């Protein structure tokens, strides 16, 4: 039953309302209910037991004639009126409440002889300070660089610490700060009664907000809001009723601007010293970080922080040292590693190293210092942080780099298509520097390959490295319209170079990343800046739409691989194939055999299968080209739909974005599964497909042979030769499961795949393909027919898919008409189409082109899914959506730089793709019609608009979004965090319902009866992890580790070989490997300026999603990380084998490298820092050594 409540305080939250009702409802044996605050002092109270709800109304309710019952209901010191609601309760909310009540009744009671004492979690504070740790003699002291001397409260929440404080001159506003526990470095230190402080150090900056309070509140009510963090519902008469209750801030104020961005230690002075006895009681709360006593001394700085920073930046900018060294030194300050004063004193030391060892080595030394220096504080010794100690560290790194004993590696050695690029991340508070990293080149970087250090890749992110998300009732205008806009329009200075906004590719726009550049003089003496670089790309003056102009310029920023140059005379321009107002050839052309062969020599030299379809960029052209054997000579045929702008004559290289080297596997996702269900596909085949994968994963973790096959098929750790290694261990009767590192590799790889199944429903369809789409140039295919030739990945044999009514679709699919049926046919033996493979060829006939019917696809590089598993054939097909083509939003003048910046900013603010897709997923599960429901159809249309927003500049109309209920199906709930420390674990955190701030973001979940709910509940990841971790009994573990046993085998097989003289080179190779591995651990982290990921994640090439499957950003980062790691290992293996030296002493060098692993026996901790704890090199060396031993045995004549 739903109960309507009136006369409630405007500022009360759902969580506080629920807590206030608790004692009243408990007296009526009502334990399961939900409260939802409405406007104008009203709320809804939903009780799942209608009989008990009626008892509540009988006791406290108001009759239909307005007559009150004898007993009054008082909450928050006010008389509350309650009556039966005219609206029926939400059925999904009732289901959620029923499931909660069932769990409550069947919960195992815990033994509690005495009720636990309530633990206070909120404490009054008198001030907040921001600064750094330093030392007074040998004693750590807190240096206060900024103080906010206002009253407030400190609260320990479930996931973070919350600060609420008064703001000077703003009586109706409060400062709020959130510190995530996961970002706290070390312990939280509690002072003594003489100095009652709470001090903590962060790895990253906190989140700052200003919360506005309603007008007309008493001081007591304001204090209540500060204590309870209540939300604000403006009164009807309030002219600001549409204003969000709080806004995100970009500083602590004018005086604290620079401090908050680079000083990550915070100290709070408690108003009551007696609270120091209460805070330690929070240790019993598992989510609170370590609490340690410490007699903290606070000192004032001799020089204000802003003055220190100004002196440092001026000294750095005017110093004669190299830019690479300046970047690393500024990084020490901007990333909060050392104070500006200390780094200023290090400038002459760093410059002296540059003069002795060169710029690269000097930069490397400072980079090493940034990685190895500990955080200052009570847990660290003063001797590690004074200038003498820092100087000695730099000098030791110099010695290592100069003599090859350290991890120094020059920046050469990567592919010719890589560039050494500096990076920065702009957050609401700071600008954080990292790198340089290897980046794949684009057209711009190739044009200025000798000046790539003047370019910088810049991300605009949250403090934790994730995209800034929409927050309920919170304005982000100050972050986007002031903070980010200022940086984009005015640039920023690093090492004396002023960087300004340049441009972005389509993919980087979605990831909130762009390119900046500092002015430089080209090789021919021309001074170039952002404006002149853009003008040299081509003529964009005819494009008056900022979104479209940005997209056209962005073609030059797409990551591409160069192939061959072609003269304009060899380019044939033809019209598009159009019929009935539809373009059937949208984005596709052809390439002759002769020209394609030349491209293969540059692009696919080592590929076993030479691609016959390519996704290209050429001058102002973008799209797909396919082989046409009917064309003679070197001919590139392009169509009108492919040519986007006019480029200069010198832009003649055919650049490759992608190709059909191999067919991609087909994996389902939640949107597609829901559409298939609504089209009549039964749940059983989907459940069977998932169970097959789960069974394979479980067997993989327990069987060496299956584990090797799994890694090989998933292309994980392939360059490290782990599949070969595992099979070799089997041959020698050794079990990889008896080595912690190798076991963890398999466990994490399998768990990552399992989470993809559970949280994203990425189910493999073995009888399915994912391929680039092109058009039938010959006209042999009829309407509704496709031609699908592919190379079987298992056999290497070319096959042609033939079948009727096969499922075809394209991601993302939200409209039920995004799934269609086609007939896959073969073509005559003399058809030119027989020369193609790994593509899907669409007909050029019909009333409408098929690609446009599949989520609005075209042929300029889109991938299409075709399923020939009969179990997944729908019983019906829906009509495809046909949204009107929207013209891009245009100006009345040519586009200027600030217009493109505005588009970049607006896109970050208004990109609603994720929000729309999430809402569609929830409503599709709740509505009887599923994806056919009118609300879902509206969402599908809005999603289509949002997809095109980057090119049209027209955002989705969010006023058309259906009401977002706080009720979701269970499969949308977050999963447990994955923790990689001594072992791989799932952190099963429980929601604490007393945590008011967290409750504001809380969703209720119900058990979905649809197929997605069934698939979700069919996987118990905790039980799965327990099963695979318990597969090795302690009694089975041999006394000698697999590595030691393998070493004994190698020693026996190579008896008489002298290898000890190779130890020196082996140590050098290992140091280079460990250095680059550490670089990748930082580079692939969401916060590369603050903390790395684990070695295991790099080794398997997979970032583990912390509370779900991977985000899109994590997937893209994983792909780049995997490619980089593969390149690193290939290079290291070549060095071990001495390929450049003709493989001379390859065996001896591999033995020497393997011998270094003996020193690491017993070290199985997956530490995030410290090269002494990196364990993968010894297994790479072991793999190479085993291969060399096998080679030796084959070549023996006796």
């Amino acid at each position: 039953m739903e109960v309507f409540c009136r006369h409630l305080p405007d500022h009360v939250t759902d969580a506080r309302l629920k807590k206030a009702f608790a004692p009243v409802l408990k007296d009526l044996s009502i334990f399961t209910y939900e409260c939802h605050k409405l406007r104008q002092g009203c709320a809804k109270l939903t009780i799942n037991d209608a009989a008990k709800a009626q008892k509540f109304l009988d006791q406290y309710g108001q009759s239909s004639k307005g007559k009150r019952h004898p007993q009054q209901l008082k909450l928050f010191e006010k008389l509350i009126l309650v009556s039966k609601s005219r609206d029926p309760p939400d059925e999904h909310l009732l289901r959620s409440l029923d499931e909660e009540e069932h769990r409550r009744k069947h919960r195992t009671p815990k033994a509690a002889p005495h009720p636990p004492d309530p633990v206070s979690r909120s404490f009054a504070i008198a001030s907040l300070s921001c600064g750094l740790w330093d030392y007074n003699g040998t004693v750590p002291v807190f240096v206060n660089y900024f103080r906010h001397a206002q009253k407030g409260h400190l609260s320990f929440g479930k996931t973070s610490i919350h600060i609420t404080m008064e703001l000077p001159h703003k009586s109706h506003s409060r400062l709020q700060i959130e510190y995530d526990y996961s970002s706290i470095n070390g312990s939280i230190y509690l002072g003594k009664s003489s100095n009652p402080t709470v001090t903590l150090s962060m790895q990253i900056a906190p989140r700052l907000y200003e919360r506005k309070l309603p007008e007309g509140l008493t001081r007591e009510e304001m204090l209540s809001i500060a204590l309870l963090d209540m939300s604000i519902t403006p009164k009807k008469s309030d002219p600001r009723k549409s204003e969000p209750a709080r806004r995100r801030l970009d500083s602590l104020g004018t005086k604290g601007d620079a401090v908050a961005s680079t000083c990550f230690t915070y100290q709070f002075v408690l108003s009551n010293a007696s609270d120091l006895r209460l805070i330690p009681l929070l240790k019993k709360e598992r989510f609170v970080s370590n609490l340690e006593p410490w007699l903290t001394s606070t000192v004032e700085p001799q020089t204000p922080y802003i003055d220190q920073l100004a002196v440092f930046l001026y000294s750095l900018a005017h110093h004669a040292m190299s830019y690479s060294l300046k970047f690393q030194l500024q990084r020490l300050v901007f990333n909060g590693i050392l104070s500006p004063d200390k780094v200023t004193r290090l400038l002459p030391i760093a410059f002296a190293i540059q003069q002795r060892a060169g710029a690269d080595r000097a930069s490397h030394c400072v980079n090493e210092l940034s990685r190895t220096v500990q955080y200052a504080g009570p847990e660290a010794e003063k001797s590690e942080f004074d200038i003498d100690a820092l100087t000695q560290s730099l000098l030791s790194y110099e010695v290592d780099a100069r003599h090859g004993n350290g991890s120094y590696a020059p920046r050469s050695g990567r592919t010719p298509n890589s560039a050494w690029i500096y990076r920065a991340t702009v957050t609401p508070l700071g600008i954080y520097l990292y790198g340089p990293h290897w980046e794949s080149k684009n057209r711009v970087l190739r044009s200025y390959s000798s000046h790539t250090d003047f370019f910088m890749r810049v991300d605009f992110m949250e403090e934790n490295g994730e995209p800034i998300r929409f927050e309920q009732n919170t304005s982000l205008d100050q972050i986007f319209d002031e903070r980010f806009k200022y940086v984009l329009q005015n640039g920023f200075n690093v090492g004396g170079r002023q960087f300004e906004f340049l441009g972005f590719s389509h993919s980087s726009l979605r990831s909130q990343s762009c390119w900046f550049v500092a002015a430089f003089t080209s090789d021919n003496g021309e001074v170039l800046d952002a404006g002149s670089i853009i003008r040299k790309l081509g003529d964009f003056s005819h494009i008056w739409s900022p979104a479209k102009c940005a997209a056209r310029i962005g073609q030059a920023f797409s990551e591409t691989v160069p192939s061959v140059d072609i003269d304009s005379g060899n380019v044939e321009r033809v019209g598009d194939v159009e019929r009935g107002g539809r373009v059937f050839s949208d984005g596709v052309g052809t390439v002759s055999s002769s020209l394609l062969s030349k491209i293969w020599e540059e692009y696919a030299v080592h590929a076993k299968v030479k691609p016959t379809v390519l996704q290209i960029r050429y001058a102002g052209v973008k799209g797909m080209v396919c082989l046409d054997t009917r064309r003679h000579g070197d001919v590139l045929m392009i169509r009108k739909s492919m040519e986007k702008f006019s480029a200069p004559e010198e832009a003649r290289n055919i650049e490759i974005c992608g190709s059909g080297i191999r067919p991609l596997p087909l994996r389902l996702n939640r949107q597609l599964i829901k559409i298939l269900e609504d089209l009549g596909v039964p749940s059983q085949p989907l459940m069977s497909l998932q169970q097959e994968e789960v069974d394979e994963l479980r067997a993989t973790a327990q069987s060496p042979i299956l584990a090797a096959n799994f890694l090989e098929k998933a292309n994980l750790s392939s360059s490290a030769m782990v599949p070969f290694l595992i099979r070799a261990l089997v041959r020698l009767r050794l079990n990889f499961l008896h080595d912690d590192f190798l076991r963890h590799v398999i466990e994490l790889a399998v768990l990552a795949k399992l989470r993809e199944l559970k949280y994203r429903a990425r189910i493999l369809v073995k009888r399915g393909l994912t391929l680039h789409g092109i058009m039938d140039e010959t006209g042999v295919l009829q309407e509704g027919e496709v031609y699908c030739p592919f190379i079987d990945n298992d056999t290497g044999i070319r096959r042609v898919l033939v079948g009727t009514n096969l499922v075809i679709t394209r991601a993302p699919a939200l409209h039920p008409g995004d799934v269609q049926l086609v007939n896959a046919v073969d073509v005559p033996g003399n058809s030119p189409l027989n020369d193609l493979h790994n593509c899907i060829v669409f007909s050029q006939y019909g009333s409408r082109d098929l690609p446009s019917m599949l989520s609005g696809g075209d042929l300029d590089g889109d991938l299409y899914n075709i399923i020939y598993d009969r179990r997944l054939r729908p019983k019906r097909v829906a009509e495809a959506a046909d949204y009107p083509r929207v013209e891009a939003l245009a100006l009345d003048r040519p586009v200027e730089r600030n217009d493109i910046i505005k588009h970049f900013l607006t896109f970050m603010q208004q990109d609603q793709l994720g929000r729309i897709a999430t809402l569609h997923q929830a409503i599709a599960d709740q509505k009887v019609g599923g994806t056919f429901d009118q609300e879902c159809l509206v969402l599908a249309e809005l999603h289509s608009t949002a997809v095109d927003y980057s090119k049209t500049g027209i955002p989705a109309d969010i006023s058309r979004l259906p009401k977002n209920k706080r009720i979701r199906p269970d499969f949308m709930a977050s999963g447990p965090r994955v923790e990689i420390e001594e072992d791989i674990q799932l952190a099963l955190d429980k929601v604490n319902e007393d945590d008011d701030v967290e409750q504001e973001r809380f969703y209720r979940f119900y058990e979905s009866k649809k197929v997605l709910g069934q698939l979700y509940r069919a996987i118990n990841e905790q039980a799965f992890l327990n099963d695979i971790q318990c597969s090795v009994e302690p009694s089975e573990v041999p006394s000698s580790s697999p590595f030691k046993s393998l070493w004994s085998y190698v020693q026996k097989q190579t008896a008489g070989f002298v290898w000890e003289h190779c130890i020196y080179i082996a140590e050098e190779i290992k140091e280079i490997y460990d250095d680059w591995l550490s670089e990748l651990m930082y580079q692939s982290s969401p916060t590369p300026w603050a903390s790395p990921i684990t070695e295991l994640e790099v080794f398997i090439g997979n970032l583990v999603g912390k509370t779900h499957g991977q985000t899109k950003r994590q997937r893209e980062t994983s792909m780049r990380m995997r490619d980089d790691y593969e390149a690193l290992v290939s290079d290291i293996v070549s060095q071990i084998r001495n390929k450049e030296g003709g493989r001379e002493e390859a065996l001896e060098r591999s033995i020497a490298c393997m011998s270094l692993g003996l020193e690491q026996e017993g070290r199985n901790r997956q530490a995030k820092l410290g090269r002494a704890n990196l364990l993968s090199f010894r297994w790479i060396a072991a793999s190479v050594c085993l291969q060399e031993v096998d080679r030796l045995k084959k070549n023996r004549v006796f």
Side-chain angles (χ1 to χ4, degrees), residues 752 755-756 760 1101-1106 1108-1116 1118:
R755 288 169 75 84
E756 285 287 284
R760 296 183 61 223
N1102 202 323
L1103 288 175
V1104 179
K1106 296 304 178 187
H1108 252 63
Q1110 291 178 322
T1111 63
K1112 182 179 180 181
R1113 184 177 178 84
Q1114 286 174 326
R1115 290 194 297 275
E1116 291 172 350
S1118 292

Side-chain angles (χ1 to χ4, degrees), residues 195-474:
N195 186 23
T197 58
V198 177
T199 309
L200 55 89
S201 293
M202 305 292 293
Q203 294 178 345
I204 58 176
R207 296 181 296 278
L208 309 182
Y209 301 88
E210 179 186 344
R211 179 178 281 278
K212 296 181 181 178
L213 308 182
E215 300 286 347
L217 292 181
T218 66
R219 185 170 181 81
E220 288 72 21
E221 288 176 318
M222 290 186 190
L223 178 62
S224 175
I225 291 174
L227 279 168
L228 304 180
D229 193 36
M230 293 178 174
S231 65
I232 302 159
T233 306
K235 296 178 182 179
K236 189 174 183 180
S237 58
D238 190 344
R240 298 177 296 104
K241 62 181 179 180
S242 60
E243 270 191 38
R246 64 178 187 170
R247 67 188 181 103
R248 189 74 181 271
L249 300 179
D250 61 358
S251 74
L252 283 169
T254 305
K255 294 182 179 179
D257 195 353
V259 178
S261 66
T262 56
C263 298
F264 301 149
T265 299
Y266 286 80
Q267 187 174 90
F268 315 101
V269 177
L270 297 171
S271 299
N272 304 308
S274 58
D275 285 344
L276 286 172
R277 297 195 302 271
L278 300 177
I279 294 178
L281 300 177
L282 291 169
K283 285 185 176 181
K284 64 181 70 175
E285 304 278 3
R286 64 169 302 202
F287 49 80
V288 176
S289 300
N290 294 333
L291 298 168
E292 299 292 342
W294 184 263
L295 183 57
T296 307
S297 297
T298 302
V299 299
E300 298 302 317
Q302 295 179 348
T303 305
Y305 190 85
I306 192 68
D307 294 343
Q308 285 189 35
L309 186 61
V311 169
F312 164 73
L313 292 176
Y314 181 85
S315 302
L316 188 71
H318 293 83
H319 207 286
M321 66 178 63
S322 69
Y323 177 74
S324 62
L325 184 53
K326 289 181 179 182
F327 180 93
Q328 297 301 337
L329 289 163
Q330 187 163 333
R331 170 186 179 180
L332 290 174
V333 175
F334 271 36
N335 294 8
I337 299 169
L338 294 173
S339 69
D341 180 60
K342 282 190 175 179
V343 182
T344 301
R345 294 160 67 186
L346 287 176
L347 293 183
I349 292 107
F351 183 56
I353 295 175
Q354 175 182 313
Q355 290 179 310
R356 291 191 300 268
D360 282 348
R361 285 186 171 89
S363 303
H364 171 79
C365 291
V366 179
N367 187 20
E368 281 292 285
L369 182 68
S370 71
R371 299 285 173 78
T372 55
V373 67
Q374 293 188 30
Y375 285 93
E379 296 174 354
E381 297 293 332
K382 180 218 174 180
S383 57
E384 300 177 30
F385 293 95
D386 60 26
I387 291 298
D388 290 341
L390 295 172
T391 300
Q392 285 305 312
S393 295
L394 286 174
L395 294 177
S396 68
Y397 298 141
E398 179 194 1
V399 171
D400 289 342
R402 284 169 64 88
H403 295 91
N405 297 324
S407 50
Y408 167 72
R411 53 165 106 171
S412 59
R414 290 293 166 141
T415 66
N417 197 47
S418 299
W420 197 236
I421 298 297
Y422 295 100
R423 300 202 61 161
T425 293
V426 180
T427 71
L429 288 184
I431 297 178
Y432 304 109
L433 308 175
Y434 51 104
H437 296 155
W438 290 107
E439 294 269 352
S440 295
K441 287 183 180 178
N442 52 48
R443 186 180 302 177
V444 174
L445 293 181
R446 273 193 294 273
S447 299
Y448 308 104
S449 57
S450 58
H451 298 86
T452 55
D453 58 338
F454 286 86
F455 293 83
M456 189 176 292
R457 187 83 176 259
V458 182
D459 299 329
F460 290 80
M461 293 290 155
E462 181 58 90
E463 302 296 345
N464 64 2
E466 295 295 325
I468 292 184
R469 304 292 184 191
F470 166 80
E471 293 184 65
Q472 192 83 27
N473 213 19
T474 300

Side-chain angles (χ1 to χ4, degrees), residues 1061-1113:
H1061 62 286
C1062 295
I1063 284 290
Y1064 179 85
I1065 187 65
E1067 289 175 342
E1068 185 175 337
I1069 293 171
K1070 182 181 184 301
E1071 290 290 351
I1072 291 173
Y1073 170 82
D1074 287 349
D1075 177 56
W1076 282 110
L1077 175 60
S1078 299
E1079 182 74 22
L1080 277 175
M1081 289 166 64
Y1082 275 93
Q1083 179 179 327
S1084 307
S1085 168
T1087 53
W1089 61 89
S1091 59
I1093 59 173
T1094 63
E1095 179 184 16
L1096 274 180
E1097 289 173 286
V1098 177
F1099 192 76
I1100 68 168
N1102 202 323
L1103 288 175
V1104 179
K1106 296 304 178 187
T1107 58
H1108 252 63
Q1110 291 178 322
T1111 63
K1112 182 179 180 181
R1113 184 177 178 84

